[in-house]
């Protein structure tokens, strides 16, 4: 296991001996010296009780001392009383020991949690926060003025100038965060320096939502609670009782998060369906569940009544309960937490490539009409359900955060699942900075990043990361998981982007004590990991499962290398909580998204065509296709043998998703047809028809003879039946050897399994086992 260990070398040795940094605010011409020729000219003054200056396990005083030493080699002294400051040295007074008069400055700027005041004069440096967190963030502001940056976790992501003399200009500033609550949820472990240094955290108080209800209320006809009580009475009473108990145990608590379980299974009893009315969710192609839950939360708040008139309920506006209610007006104390999982997760609301994302504006405005006491954003700042390949969302965060904030969303609890620093090195940093200050100069931020982080490789790394950003920003594709990579990263784009990384690697080679080279290497390896994945998919789609299996093993090998490169948290016993170049959960056989969505088809296809049998005939990527919204296909005989009319159109299966080809969010029936010739040499052997995966239901015919469905094959060969998983049919009696055979597939996409997918999504082939008695 490798962790970058920085020797005390200066990354940017200044050509002059003094480092001064100016910033906006009241900044004066004079300066104070913190360290001169390696000798401290200041003393840190902090209360003996430093617990208020600890954030997410990080001590603010230690941060100040350590980083000053890193820059200058000088170790600052820490005292607990102003009287202990030696004569001739300037005090850096922190928190409660800073000048109380700064409280007036904070009040004048309408300070909120995490705000701070920083004043530098010839008598003292004072950092006083609205709270302890604000003081620590003020310390980070001071260090940033000295040129320190934390672009990524650990020493790997740290940029610090080298100088034996450092100064600060006289100044008096107050900073108040633009967004009052700033959280990256799904983070492996908050107890890392990077999370604290990005000024994340902030105000609490508003509930944000969760999957599940307190009090274990009874379920309805499915896996969800019977909201109405018609099928299973007692849901309102169970939740109210649980909340009352919590309020008795915690009298100051006023925020509660709850909601449906994640997934479907909504109660279909008469009472619950009546609450829905005729509300419809066009994104899901299904009834909207919003009204039933608004009715339920209203009842809960009514039952708490005058005893608790200020209790708030937060819930996820998400999935099938995303649309604003039509029949039940929500209590203003119901806090909507927007989780737009069903709308383009790659681009912002202002991007012309994404008309879908514009829908989100109307959704927010629809909820805002009810004038709730608050609204929260719980979006996604990396590729959801993806093993985390190269990714960039700079355009989205720089434009959408200010717009969401202007619409009244002042609490961001953004989901970043399984962040890969070998793929997306800068989006989290930019997002954190814009959340702190929505007027951040993002272009200036990026210019500084390219120069300071990559040094001699600045220009090719700029070209690579800007090219990566353009790939997502300027293309019209939005399919979820890793399917978006198929149309975006064609061979031409892949070659161009790879060339930038290779040029950067030549300018900044991976050598001892060269962080520039190490950083370039990490992105080059992350890119190679995506390359291997896409080559594996291409081999799979071409039915070359021997090559696909070898590439799968190569993918695992490079994932292990990157996953074992620990950036922060090497001393944490739970490996899942460490921050690595690739998240621990994406290692082989740990339930990662690669295994979940792509492993099965490759392993199954390899077993059938390399280990235990032979490929007979693969179906082409492009098949004849016809949607069937009226569900007349079986009556009309779309499955018949031979040629039939109907104005069928060509549609790709394995190389493009439904949404990539204009089918968008289509829900309903559709049909595929094609003709293939089974070679005569296989006559006398068993013939199977294998599917690598469909979304989500398939019914299959060969030469007009029904083979079965992916859920209930007629010959009892379910394989790994289900959405995205392989399955087989015994087709020996149905096929004609040496002749053309008709394959017809009816697919029903009746639920959203992943954004933009549908129909046949993996290769289809006829194959023959070596053993006539083969069973799956």
């Amino acid at each position: 296991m490798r962790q970058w260990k920085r020797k005390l070398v200066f990354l940017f040795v200044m050509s002059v001996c003094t480092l001064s940094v100016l910033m906006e605010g009241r900044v004066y011409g004079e300066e104070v010296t913190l360290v001169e020729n390696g000798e401290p000219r200041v003393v840190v003054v902090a209360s003996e009780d430093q617990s208020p200056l600890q954030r997410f396990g990080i001590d603010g005083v230690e941060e100040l001392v350590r980083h000053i030493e890193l820059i200058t080699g000088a170790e600052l002294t820490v005292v607990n009383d102003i009287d202990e400051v030696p004569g001739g040295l300037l005090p850096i007074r922190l928190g409660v020991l800073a000048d109380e008069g700064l409280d007036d400055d904070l009040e004048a700027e309408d300070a909120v949690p995490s705000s701070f005041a920083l004043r530098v004069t010839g008598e003292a440096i004072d950092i006083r926060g609205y709270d302890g967190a604000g003081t620590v963030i003020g310390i980070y502001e001071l260090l940033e003025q000295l040129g320190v940056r934390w672009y990524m976790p650990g020493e790997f992501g740290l940029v610090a100038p080298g100088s034996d003399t450092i100064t600060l200009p006289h100044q008096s500033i107050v900073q108040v965060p633009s967004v009052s609550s700033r959280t990256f949820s799904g983070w492996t472990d908050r107890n890392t320096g990077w999370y604290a240094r990005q000024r994340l955290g902030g105000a609490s108080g508003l509930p944000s939502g969760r999957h599940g209800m307190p009090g274990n209320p009874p379920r309805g006809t499915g896996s969800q609670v019977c909201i109405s009580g018609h099928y299973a009475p007692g849901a309102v009473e169970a939740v109210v009782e649980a909340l009352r108990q919590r309020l008795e145990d915690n009298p100051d608590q006023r925020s509660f998060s709850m909601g449906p379980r994640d997934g479907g299974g909504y109660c279909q009893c008469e009472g619950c369906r009546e609450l829905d009315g005729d509300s419809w969710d066009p994104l899901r192609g299904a009834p909207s569940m919003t009204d039933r839950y608004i009715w339920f939360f209203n009842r809960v708040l009514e039952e708490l009544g005058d005893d608790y008139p200020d209790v708030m309920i937060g819930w996820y506006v998400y999935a099938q309960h995303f649309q604003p209610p039509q029949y039940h007006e929500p209590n203003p104390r119901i806090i909507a937490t927007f989780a737009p999982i069903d709308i383009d997760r790659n681009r912002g609301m202002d991007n012309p490539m994404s008309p879908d994302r514009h829908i989100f504006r109307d959704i927010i405005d629809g909820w805002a009409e009810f004038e709730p006491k608050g609204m929260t954003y719980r979006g996604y700042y990396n590729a959801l359900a993806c093993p985390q390949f190269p990714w960039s969302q700079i355009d989205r965060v720089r434009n959408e955060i200010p717009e969401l904030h202007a619409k009244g969303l002042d609490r961001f609890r953004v989901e970043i699942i399984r962040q890969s620093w070998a793929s997306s090195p800068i989006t989290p940093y930019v997002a954190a900075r814009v959340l702190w200050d929505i007027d951040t100069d993002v272009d200036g931020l990026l210019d500084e990043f390219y120069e300071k982080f990559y040094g001699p490789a600045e220009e090719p790394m700029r070209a690579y990361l800007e090219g990566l950003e353009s790939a997502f920003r300027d293309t019209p594709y939005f399919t979820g998981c890793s399917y978006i990579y198929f149309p975006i990263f064609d061979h031409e784009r892949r070659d161009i982007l790879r060339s930038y990384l290779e040029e950067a690697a030549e300018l900044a080679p991976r050598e001892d004590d060269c962080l520039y080279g190490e950083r370039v290497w990490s992105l080059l390896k992350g890119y190679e990991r995506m390359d291997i994945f896409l080559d594996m998919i291409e081999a799979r789609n071409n039915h070359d499962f021997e090559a696909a299996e070898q590439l799968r093993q190569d993918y695992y090998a490079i994932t292990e290398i990157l996953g074992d490169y620990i950036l922060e948290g090497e001393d944490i016993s739970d490996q899942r909580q460490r921050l690595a170049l690739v998240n621990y959960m994406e290692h082989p056989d740990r339930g990662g998204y690669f295994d979940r969505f792509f492993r099965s088809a490759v392993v199954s296809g390899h077993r059938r065509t390399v280990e235990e049998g032979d490929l007979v005939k693969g179906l082409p990527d492009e098949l004849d296709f016809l949607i069937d919204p009226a569900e007349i296909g079986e009556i009309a005989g779309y499955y018949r043998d031979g040629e039939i009319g109907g104005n069928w159109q060509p549609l790709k299966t394995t190389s493009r998703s439904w949404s990539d080809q204009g089918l968008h969010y289509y829900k309903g029936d559709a049909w595929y047809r094609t003709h293939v010739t089974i070679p005569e040499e296989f006559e006398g052997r068993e013939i199977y028809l294998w599917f690598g995966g469909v979304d989500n239901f398939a019914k299959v015919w060969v030469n007009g003879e029904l083979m079965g469905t992916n859920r209930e094959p007629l010959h009892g060969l379910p394989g790994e039946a289900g959405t995205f998983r392989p399955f087989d049919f015994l087709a020996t009696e149905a096929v004609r050897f040496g002749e053309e055979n008709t394959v017809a597939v009816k697919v029903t996409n009746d639920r959203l399994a992943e954004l933009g997918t549908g129909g046949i999504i993996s290769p289809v082939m006829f194959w023959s086992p070596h053993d006539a008695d083969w069973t799956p």
Side-chain angles (χ1 to χ4, degrees):
M1 184 175 294
R2 176 170 184 159
Q3 182 181 31
W4 177 262
K5 299 292 187 181
R6 177 198 297 271
K7 295 181 180 179
L8 198 59
V9 293
F10 298 129
L11 299 181
F12 296 93
V13 179
M14 310 302 291
S15 58
V16 295
C17 64
T18 301
L19 170 69
S20 290
V21 181
L22 298 179
M23 60 169 296
E24 293 183 2
R26 286 184 289 160
V27 180
Y28 312 104
E30 298 180 66
E31 296 177 336
V32 298
T33 301
L34 283 71
V35 177
E36 184 174 20
N37 298 324
E39 294 295 325
R41 292 290 178 258
V42 293
V43 173
V44 179
V45 186
S47 171
E48 187 172 358
D49 177 16
Q50 294 184 11
S51 58
L53 302 186
Q54 294 179 349
R55 300 190 71 235
F56 309 119
I58 305 300
D59 186 286
V61 176
E62 292 179 1
E63 289 278 84
L64 176 61
V65 172
R66 186 176 79 86
H67 284 88
I68 295 294
E69 182 178 7
L70 178 64
I71 296 170
T72 66
E75 184 175 356
L76 301 187
T77 299
V78 180
V79 300
N80 302 128
D81 193 292
I82 189 65
D83 295 334
E84 299 176 28
V85 177
L89 297 182
L90 193 72
I92 301 179
R93 301 184 297 208
L94 302 177
V96 296
L97 297 185
D99 184 0
E100 294 182 1
L102 293 176
D103 288 343
D104 295 334
D105 294 351
L106 288 165
E107 184 177 355
E109 297 297 331
D110 298 322
V112 298
S114 298
S115 306
F116 67 87
L118 167 63
R119 187 174 65 197
V120 179
T121 68
E123 287 75 40
I125 297 174
D126 287 293
I127 303 176
R128 190 175 181 92
Y130 176 94
D131 49 13
T135 300
V136 176
I137 292 173
I139 290 171
Y140 291 135
E141 171 63 29
L142 182 151
L143 292 171
E144 288 180 14
Q145 288 194 35
L146 295 175
V148 180
R149 299 291 183 271
W150 304 274
Y151 291 115
M152 290 168 58
E155 305 293 339
F156 186 93
L158 172 63
V159 168
S163 177
D164 62 1
T165 298
I166 54 174
T167 68
L168 284 173
H170 285 203
Q171 59 189 282
S172 182
I173 63 171
V174 173
Q175 288 192 17
V176 178
S178 296
V179 177
S180 66
S181 181
R182 308 160 308 282
T183 303
F184 289 168
S185 96
W187 200 255
T188 41
D189 182 32
R190 287 191 190 177
N191 294 323
T192 64
W194 188 89
Y195 193 95
R197 293 165 191 146
Q198 301 316 307
R199 310 186 182 196
L200 297 170
S204 58
L206 283 180
S208 60
R210 66 184 291 268
H211 299 302
M213 299 281 197
N216 194 28
R219 296 186 181 185
T221 59
S223 60
Q224 304 282 6
V225 171
C226 179
I227 292 299
S228 66
H230 179 82
Y231 177 84
V236 171
E237 292 78 5
V239 171
V240 169
E241 182 180 352
L243 295 188
R244 285 187 176 276
Q245 184 61 55
R246 292 185 187 181
L247 287 162
E248 290 179 13
D249 296 339
N250 303 282
D252 294 332
Q253 184 175 359
R254 286 298 179 267
S255 297
F256 296 93
S257 296
M258 63 186 73
R261 293 182 175 89
D262 201 3
Y266 299 98
C267 182
Q268 296 300 312
C269 77
E270 182 180 345
C272 288
R273 286 188 286 109
E274 184 177 345
L275 292 174
D276 301 331
D278 59 358
S279 299
W280 187 257
D281 186 340
L283 299 175
R284 287 252 160 180
S288 170
M289 300 288 116
T290 302
D291 273 283
R292 67 170 65 182
Y293 284 99
I294 292 300
W295 176 89
F296 181 81
F297 297 142
N298 282 342
R299 287 283 310 279
V300 169
L301 292 173
E302 289 170 8
E303 290 296 321
L304 291 173
D306 295 337
D307 295 337
Y308 302 103
D310 52 353
V311 161
M312 293 182 287
I313 292 175
W315 78 308
Y316 293 144
V317 174
Y318 166 82
Q320 211 166 323
H321 36 94
F322 186 61
Q323 301 292 327
Q326 294 187 28
Y327 301 104
H328 303 281
E329 182 174 342
N331 188 307
R333 290 182 284 133
I334 298 174
I335 307 302
T337 295
F338 297 99
I341 196 170
D342 293 348
I343 297 179
D344 186 349
R345 302 189 291 257
N346 309 314
R347 299 168 193 83
M349 294 185 292
D350 65 331
N351 191 317
M353 289 291 103
S354 181
D356 293 30
R357 192 71 181 180
H358 293 201
I359 298 171
F360 189 28
R361 280 195 181 100
D362 293 333
I363 297 292
I364 295 171
D365 292 343
W367 283 93
E369 289 180 2
F370 299 109
E371 300 182 354
K373 290 187 174 295
M375 295 187 292
T376 298
Y377 179 68
R378 189 188 180 277
Y380 310 89
Y381 283 170
N382 62 0
L384 187 66
C386 175
Q388 302 309 317
F389 300 126
W391 181 261
S392 183
Q393 291 192 338
I394 302 300
D395 181 73
R396 177 184 172 192
V397 300
R398 75 189 300 176
N399 293 310
E400 193 168 77
I401 289 173
E403 183 171 359
L404 290 170
H405 184 259
K407 286 184 173 293
L409 281 72
D410 192 42
R411 179 185 175 95
F412 279 62
R413 183 170 170 255
V414 181
E415 191 167 292
I416 298 184
I417 295 180
R418 304 181 187 178
Q419 164 69 11
S420 169
W421 298 99
S423 300
S424 180
I426 192 60
T427 294
Y429 175 81
V430 173
R433 305 308 297 191
V434 177
L435 287 170
W436 178 263
D437 178 5
I438 59 173
D439 295 321
T440 293
D441 176 8
V442 174
D443 290 331
L445 206 69
L446 293 172
D447 288 342
E448 181 184 72
F449 165 72
Y450 297 133
E451 175 190 358
K452 291 190 173 185
F453 203 64
Y454 296 114
E458 172 189 353
E459 289 308 318
M461 290 307 298
R462 178 193 297 271
Y464 167 70
L465 289 169
E466 288 182 352
L468 187 65
E469 172 71 17
S470 174
F472 291 99
R473 181 191 63 219
D474 302 331
T475 56
Y477 307 109
F478 66 86
T479 313
C481 186
S482 305
Y483 295 98
I484 190 173
Y485 287 84
F486 301 172
I488 288 180
F489 288 92
D490 57 23
H491 283 285
E492 181 180 4
R493 190 190 298 272
R494 287 164 63 185
D495 291 344
I496 291 171
L497 293 178
R498 190 188 309 107
S499 71
Y500 295 140
L501 290 169
E502 290 171 346
E503 180 185 353
E506 291 180 4
L507 295 171
R510 191 186 185 204
E511 298 173 346
D512 290 342
D513 298 332
C514 180
L515 263 176
Y516 298 131
E518 201 79 2
R519 292 161 178 162
V520 171
W521 169 86
S522 72
L523 289 195
L524 180 57
K525 285 298 176 184
Y527 194 84
E528 288 176 3
R529 181 169 172 263
M530 180 196 73
D531 255 349
I532 292 169
F533 168 77
L534 291 175
D535 287 344
M536 183 200 75
I537 293 298
E538 187 172 2
R540 181 204 71 173
N541 293 351
N542 291 329
H543 307 97
D544 185 355
F545 288 101
E546 185 170 14
E549 173 60 17
Q550 181 57 59
L551 288 162
R552 183 177 75 91
Q553 298 300 330
D554 294 344
Y555 172 87
Y556 282 160
I558 198 169
T559 298
E560 289 277 13
I561 291 171
L562 295 171
D564 286 342
Y565 194 116
I566 306 301
L567 301 177
E568 258 182 17
E570 186 176 33
D571 56 345
I572 298 175
S573 59
D574 187 346
Q575 295 184 57
R576 292 170 297 181
Q577 293 185 339
R578 300 173 182 174
L579 296 185
L581 286 175
V582 168
N583 184 270
Y584 169 87
M585 290 303 295
E586 287 305 325
H587 283 220
D589 302 317
R590 289 180 183 162
Y593 292 124
F594 176 87
D595 285 350
R596 177 177 173 183
F597 288 102
F598 302 104
R599 174 186 177 275
S600 292
V602 172
V603 170
S604 175
H606 183 267
R607 184 175 300 147
R608 283 155 175 75
T609 62
V610 178
E611 298 175 25
E612 300 172 354
D614 300 302
L615 173 66
V616 174
K617 187 69 174 181
L619 271 62
D621 176 25
E622 192 169 272
L623 307 178
D624 290 337
F625 181 83
L626 195 64
I627 61 170
D628 182 18
E631 301 180 6
I632 63 170
E634 289 196 50
I635 300 172
Y638 289 174
Y639 57 84
R640 293 197 310 270
D641 188 16
E643 298 292 337
I644 64 172
N647 296 313
W648 297 68
Q649 301 296 316
L651 195 82
K652 296 184 184 300
T653 55
T654 58
S655 63
R656 295 290 186 273
S657 70
W658 270 14
S659 66
D660 293 344
Q661 301 174 89
L663 284 168
H664 213 52
Y665 295 101
Y666 177 71
K667 296 291 180 291
D669 290 352
W671 289 76
Y672 297 91
R673 286 176 58 89
T674 194
H675 304 285
V676 296
T677 299
I678 305 297
E680 292 181 357
E681 64 190 85
F682 289 97
E683 190 166 5
R685 293 175 59 173
E686 296 284 21
I687 302 296
Y688 289 88
L689 178 58
W690 176 89
F691 286 73
V694 297
D695 179 15
N696 41 46
F697 177 76
K699 192 172 184 179
V700 181
W701 291 261
V702 173
N703 295 327
E705 181 179 335
L706 178 63
M707 296 289 98
T709 74
N710 61 320
R711 298 173 189 173
E712 297 175 342
L714 295 184
H715 297 283
L717 302 174
E720 297 182 63
T723 299
F724 303 111
R725 296 190 177 277
F727 53 94
D728 291 276
F729 299 106
L730 181 59
T732 309
E733 299 301 320
V735 299
R736 298 186 291 261
F737 295 94
E739 300 181 37
E740 197 171 70
N741 294 263
T742 302
V743 178
V745 183
K746 173 189 174 184
V747 295
T748 302
N749 186 17
D750 57 5
R751 58 186 174 83
L752 192 150
E754 182 48 284
L755 188 61
T757 61
I760 298 173
I761 58 172
S762 277
V764 183
M765 66 182 178
F766 287 96
W767 72 282
S768 178
H770 297 146
D771 184 352
D773 296 324
W774 179 90
T775 55

